[in-house]
Amino acid sequence: MKKKITIDDIAKKLEVSKTAVSFALNGKAREKLISTELENKILAYVEEVGYKPNHSAQSLRTGKTKLIALMVEDISDPFFSTIARLMEEDAYKKGYKIFYRSTENSLQKTRELIDIFRSMQVDGYIIAPPVGIETELENLIKEGYAVVLFDRTLPGIELNSVTVNNFQGSYMAVRHLIASGYQNIAMITLSSEQIQMADRQRGYKQAIDEINKPYLIKNVIYHDQKENCIAEMIKFFRSHREIDAVFFTTNYIADNGLEAIRNLKLHIPQDIGVVVFDDYNFYRLHSPPVTAVAQPIKEISDQVINMILKLLLSNENKKTVVNVVLSTELVIRQSALLKTTSVLP
Amino acid sequence: MKKKITIDDIAKKLEVSKTAVSFALNGKAREKLISTELENKILAYVEEVGYKPNHSAQSLRTGKTKLIALMVEDISDPFFSTIARLMEEDAYKKGYKIFYRSTENSLQKTRELIDIFRSMQVDGYIIAPPVGIETELENLIKEGYAVVLFDRTLPGIELNSVTVNNFQGSYMAVRHLIASGYQNIAMITLSSEQIQMADRQRGYKQAIDEINKPYLIKNVIYHDQKENCIAEMIKFFRSHREIDAVFFTTNYIADNGLEAIRNLKLHIPQDIGVVVFDDYNFYRLHSPPVTAVAQPIKEISDQVINMILKLLLSNENKKTVVNVVLSTELVIRQSALLKTTSVLP
DNA sequence: CTGAAAGCGCTTACAG
DNA sequence: CTGAAAGCGCTTACAG
């Protein structure tokens, strides 16, 4: 293996002190009274030989790795993978590297990941947290790490976060179904205590209450087999023949739900109207195209990175907790356009 | 920030030498003549206080980071994200962490990433390489890094790789169209020099040659706007009215192609048969479900991780180059079932 | 087994 | 500005 160039090599070659080299590299030349001439000479040589500082040595010395952990539910989910990509680009421009892994919404897996990231000595954590991880997050905060939540918050714990208005998004989605003439609207959601799911449910209930109809709610299990999940939904639709529209609260559920609807040979939007929370490239392609609540992905990413960078760079110990809430957008396609628009209550 | 426990703290507390602690931690107790009793005492204490070694210090000292870089075209592509997840799990069990980023198939971006990973001092590289990166890869090899290619190889450079038989997969796909009664079969592919694309093209041509039909090939551009790409395809289909089936060589192209077909109001499989290279959850859900060439994702992941671990752990300098080629499977659904099966030549 | 020591490559306070 | 020095937390060869 080729020998790596070190600061010592450069200092010797240039016959300067390695202090000077280090200062030049870190942009501290002016502050430390190094002449511009010397600074340029050093930087030119560094460029010429392609010197790259040893990251391990820097981290060991400074105690900072310039690494940020990103933990999402499932990195192969289009929502999370798109966000991850935006974040990594953004963070890199600021000198940070992002390391991402999937929690699979499992408490144990998340704990394992936190352990891994701890041993890697990451400086900060960006997390779409599973319920129950509160204590571990509090410990991270106590130990001085930067922590930012996104996608969901955790009730009962005060942490910086970036989320969307799930209540409003769901409410608008169900109102759209009502305005399109649907009356017996079901919601299929996860049997999960996650706050964003609870908020989506509240949005549904609010809209249903306004038309004095009963709730038609079916919970499915996150880790269930795809086939079971579909079978459960089919059973639900069969035992509630009155259902003429359905609101799926995640992509994941909608994938299965659309398959259930196909198995039942129901036609969208004539037999059943469909709206999904979270937009997805694929919905444009579906027959018919699926109406969805779109989250502002780019904006979420920007806000999260800005927030964590601010935490990482500030020295103050007492930090104000900031919770950013962004709005969603209803992307209307053909899956929920049934009748002429009725008058809403 | 809470003070981290170090090996020194443990040694002092237990009144043993830090040499002993280090040996116990690294499982070198027996070899180094440390008593099992002492070893257990140390390990028990380590467990109790939750000591985690400082990764930067270990890396600085050993020159190994136990980090592997994974570079794929686009981590939000379902094929690559699924593979990445399988690989990270597998590697972690062996004590390695995988860091993945998207090359976007750009030479410049890939070079930047290699620079980033170099400065992070990763021990090995797993790459789905863009054409033109040969020199950089050769440099990595020369410097002693472990390098494994997957998804595609690079002609003119001898490197360890795991790929599928793209020729055979494509050939079978087009044969399936022919067997279903289609006669004028187009191929839509990337205008790319990548070897896997060339092989898919060869498979198509071989099958078309066997029925003495002309090639109907349309190239699209990888980085093109979605809308342009769709418009290009529509133009192509309109100027070749004889086309009764189409073979898309990637998911990405098929996404756009299916939209083009919808815009043209063509019915699958009656007006046009469709087969895609690379399977995708969504194809089960599509109306009609899409026939696809499935790659053995789990097997690819296993082979790659085994291969790189072998490279990482062996001390020999002259290593035999290994090229693993796996077979694909044609998953037959409804998008290419037109007529009764005809007799193939 | 122990224990002192060197050294990985950096950063930075300090004396001049 | 320079230059010697300490120290981050580890691993490991070495003398006993």
Side-chain angles (χ1 to χ4, degrees):
Chain A
M1 181 153 339
K2 215 162 80 183
K3 184 74 176 57
K4 284 277 191 174
I5 297 168
T6 70
I7 270 197
D8 261 315
D9 301 333
I10 296 174
K12 273 181 199 131
K13 181 80 183 179
L14 256 35
E15 296 181 320
V16 299
S17 74
K18 61 178 193 167
T19 310
V21 178
S22 178
F23 285 153
L25 284 168
N26 293 302
K28 297 194 176 172
R30 218 156 326 147
E31 167 189 346
K32 296 294 180 180
L33 308 173
I34 306 232
S35 70
T36 309
E37 190 190 358
L38 179 57
E39 183 187 7
N40 289 339
K41 180 176 157 194
I42 292 170
L43 293 180
Y45 184 73
V46 160
E47 175 74 15
E48 183 196 331
V49 297
Y51 165 78
K52 295 274 184 296
N54 182 310
H55 197 255
S56 301
Q58 283 182 318
S59 299
L60 179 58
R61 181 56 229 235
T62 62
K64 301 286 168 205
T65 54
K66 298 249 179 182
L67 250 30
I68 296 172
L70 170 59
M71 296 158 74
V72 299
E73 204 166 293
D74 176 1
I75 196 61
S76 58
D77 178 287
F79 172 70
F80 287 118
S81 67
T82 310
I83 290 246
R85 227 175 128 183
L86 291 170
M87 286 184 184
E88 74 183 9
E89 259 169 50
D90 226 26
Y92 186 67
K93 284 178 201 145
K94 310 292 171 58
Y96 282 82
K97 286 150 199 159
I98 289 191
F99 216 120
Y100 45 84
R101 296 288 293 265
S102 307
T103 66
E104 296 165 28
N105 243 347
S106 143
L107 202 52
Q108 200 203 322
K109 178 93 184 173
T110 307
R111 287 197 188 114
E112 283 171 24
L113 289 179
I114 291 179
D115 272 355
I116 294 174
F117 287 129
R118 233 185 237 285
S119 81
M120 293 176 65
Q121 256 103 351
V122 301
D123 296 339
Y125 292 78
I126 301 171
I127 315 185
V131 174
I133 203 72
E134 289 82 352
T135 312
E136 284 82 357
L137 297 184
E138 273 168 352
N139 288 340
L140 290 176
I141 294 286
K142 269 186 215 143
E143 293 168 40
Y145 292 108
V147 177
V148 172
L149 306 186
F150 82 108
D151 189 56
R152 61 197 79 163
T153 54
L154 293 170
I157 179 172
E158 285 269 300
L159 279 176
N160 291 283
S161 68
V162 177
T163 52
V164 299
N165 192 331
N166 287 288
F167 170 81
Q168 184 70 11
S170 298
Y171 174 70
M172 297 301 286
V174 179
R175 292 268 294 183
H176 172 69
L177 285 167
I178 296 167
S180 301
Y182 299 100
Q183 284 287 307
N184 300 298
I185 302 169
M187 173 173 91
I188 304 191
T189 188
L190 287 175
S191 53
S192 153
E193 304 154 52
Q194 291 168 13
I195 187 101
Q196 84 279 25
M197 289 302 154
D199 285 347
R200 290 175 197 179
Q201 183 155 150
R202 280 200 304 117
Y204 164 83
K205 287 183 172 172
Q206 171 77 32
I208 297 298
D209 282 346
E210 289 174 5
I211 56 166
N212 290 312
K213 286 283 183 178
Y215 306 143
L216 292 160
I217 299 176
K218 170 71 188 169
N219 288 304
V220 294
I221 298 160
Y222 179 69
H223 278 109
D224 207 358
Q225 296 285 326
K226 190 182 178 73
E227 284 65 28
N228 283 344
C229 181
I230 293 171
E232 280 289 307
M233 289 189 195
I234 289 176
K235 210 158 57 175
F236 172 70
F237 284 124
R238 286 217 172 112
S239 62
H240 293 278
R241 301 263 175 194
E242 72 276 21
I243 292 172
D244 60 3
V246 58
F247 170 51
F248 295 113
T249 60
T250 74
N251 283 167
Y252 163 80
I253 298 171
D255 275 4
N256 293 332
L258 291 169
E259 196 151 340
I261 288 171
R262 247 231 324 283
N263 287 353
L264 287 164
K265 305 220 186 307
L266 294 174
H267 296 283
I268 302 171
Q270 303 90 318
D271 301 331
I272 189 162
V274 171
V275 176
V276 181
F277 202 103
D278 274 355
D279 198 11
Y280 179 8
N281 261 343
F282 197 80
Y283 293 154
R284 283 178 52 195
L285 257 186
H286 192 268
S287 318
V290 178
T291 294
V293 178
Q295 300 199 44
I297 299 211
K298 174 65 178 147
E299 184 67 22
I300 293 173
S301 160
D302 284 354
Q303 291 277 353
V304 167
I305 296 298
N306 283 340
M307 195 176 274
I308 201 154
L309 252 35
K310 198 179 269 179
L311 291 171
L312 253 14
L313 300 176
S314 89
N315 298 308
E316 306 158 43
N317 237 332
K318 45 165 182 114
K319 288 151 187 161
T320 314
V321 171
V322 181
N323 297 293
V324 171
V325 178
L326 303 169
S327 64
T328 59
E329 187 197 354
L330 186 66
V331 181
I332 296 176
R333 301 201 182 90
Q334 279 80 63
S335 68
L337 294 176
L338 176 56
K339 301 149 191 177
T340 47
T341 305
S342 69
V343 179
L344 275 175
Chain B
M1 182 151 338
K2 217 161 82 183
K3 183 73 177 56
K4 284 277 193 175
I5 297 168
T6 70
I7 269 198
D8 261 316
D9 300 332
I10 296 174
K12 271 181 199 133
K13 181 77 182 181
L14 257 35
E15 296 182 318
V16 301
S17 73
K18 60 177 195 171
T19 309
V21 178
S22 178
F23 285 155
L25 283 168
N26 293 302
K28 296 192 175 171
R30 217 159 325 151
E31 170 188 343
K32 297 295 180 177
L33 308 173
I34 306 232
S35 70
T36 309
E37 191 190 357
L38 180 56
E39 183 187 8
N40 289 340
K41 181 176 155 194
I42 292 170
L43 293 180
Y45 183 72
V46 160
E47 174 74 16
E48 183 196 329
V49 296
Y51 165 78
K52 295 275 184 295
N54 181 311
H55 197 255
S56 301
Q58 283 182 319
S59 300
L60 179 59
R61 182 55 229 237
T62 62
K64 301 286 169 204
T65 54
K66 297 251 179 179
L67 250 31
I68 297 172
L70 169 60
M71 296 158 73
V72 299
E73 205 166 291
D74 177 1
I75 194 61
S76 58
D77 178 287
F79 172 71
F80 287 118
S81 66
T82 310
I83 289 245
R85 228 175 126 184
L86 290 170
M87 286 185 182
E88 73 183 9
E89 257 170 51
D90 225 25
Y92 186 68
K93 285 180 200 142
K94 311 289 171 59
Y96 282 82
K97 285 150 201 160
I98 288 190
F99 216 121
Y100 44 84
R101 295 288 293 264
S102 307
T103 65
E104 295 163 29
N105 243 347
S106 143
L107 202 50
Q108 199 202 323
K109 178 92 185 174
T110 307
R111 287 195 187 115
E112 283 170 24
L113 289 180
I114 291 178
D115 272 354
I116 294 174
F117 287 129
R118 233 184 236 287
S119 80
M120 292 176 66
Q121 257 105 349
V122 301
D123 295 339
Y125 292 78
I126 300 171
I127 316 186
V131 174
I133 202 73
E134 288 82 351
T135 313
E136 285 80 357
L137 297 185
E138 274 168 351
N139 288 339
L140 289 176
I141 295 286
K142 269 185 213 143
E143 293 168 40
Y145 292 106
V147 178
V148 171
L149 305 186
F150 82 107
D151 189 54
R152 58 197 81 162
T153 54
L154 293 171
I157 178 171
E158 285 269 301
L159 280 177
N160 291 283
S161 68
V162 177
T163 53
V164 299
N165 191 331
N166 287 288
F167 169 81
Q168 183 71 11
S170 297
Y171 174 70
M172 296 301 285
V174 179
R175 292 270 292 184
H176 172 67
L177 285 167
I178 295 167
S180 301
Y182 299 100
Q183 284 286 308
N184 299 299
I185 301 169
M187 172 173 91
I188 304 191
T189 188
L190 286 176
S191 54
S192 153
E193 304 154 51
Q194 291 168 13
I195 187 101
Q196 85 279 24
M197 290 302 153
D199 285 347
R200 290 175 198 179
Q201 183 153 152
R202 281 201 303 117
Y204 164 83
K205 287 183 171 172
Q206 171 76 30
I208 297 298
D209 282 346
E210 289 175 5
I211 55 167
N212 290 313
K213 286 285 184 176
Y215 305 143
L216 291 161
I217 299 176
K218 169 70 188 169
N219 288 306
V220 295
I221 299 160
Y222 180 69
H223 278 109
D224 206 358
Q225 294 288 323
K226 188 181 178 75
E227 285 65 28
N228 283 343
C229 182
I230 293 171
E232 279 289 307
M233 289 189 195
I234 290 177
K235 211 157 57 177
F236 172 70
F237 283 124
R238 286 219 172 108
S239 63
H240 293 278
R241 301 265 173 191
E242 73 275 22
I243 293 172
D244 61 3
V246 57
F247 170 50
F248 296 112
T249 60
T250 75
N251 283 166
Y252 162 80
I253 297 171
D255 275 5
N256 293 332
L258 291 170
E259 196 152 339
I261 289 171
R262 245 232 324 284
N263 288 353
L264 286 164
K265 307 223 185 302
L266 294 173
H267 295 282
I268 303 170
Q270 302 90 320
D271 303 331
I272 189 162
V274 171
V275 176
V276 181
F277 203 104
D278 274 354
D279 199 11
Y280 180 10
N281 261 341
F282 196 79
Y283 294 153
R284 282 177 54 195
L285 256 186
H286 192 268
S287 319
V290 178
T291 294
V293 179
Q295 301 198 43
I297 300 211
K298 174 68 178 147
E299 184 69 21
I300 294 172
S301 160
D302 283 355
Q303 291 277 353
V304 168
I305 296 297
N306 282 341
M307 195 177 273
I308 200 153
L309 252 35
K310 199 180 268 177
L311 290 171
L312 252 15
L313 300 176
S314 89
N315 298 310
E316 305 159 44
N317 239 332
K318 43 164 186 118
K319 288 151 186 161
T320 314
V321 171
V322 180
N323 297 295
V324 171
V325 179
L326 304 169
S327 64
T328 58
E329 186 197 355
L330 185 66
V331 181
I332 296 176
R333 301 201 181 91
Q334 279 81 62
S335 68
L337 294 175
L338 177 55
K339 299 148 193 178
T340 48
T341 306
S342 69
V343 179
L344 276 175

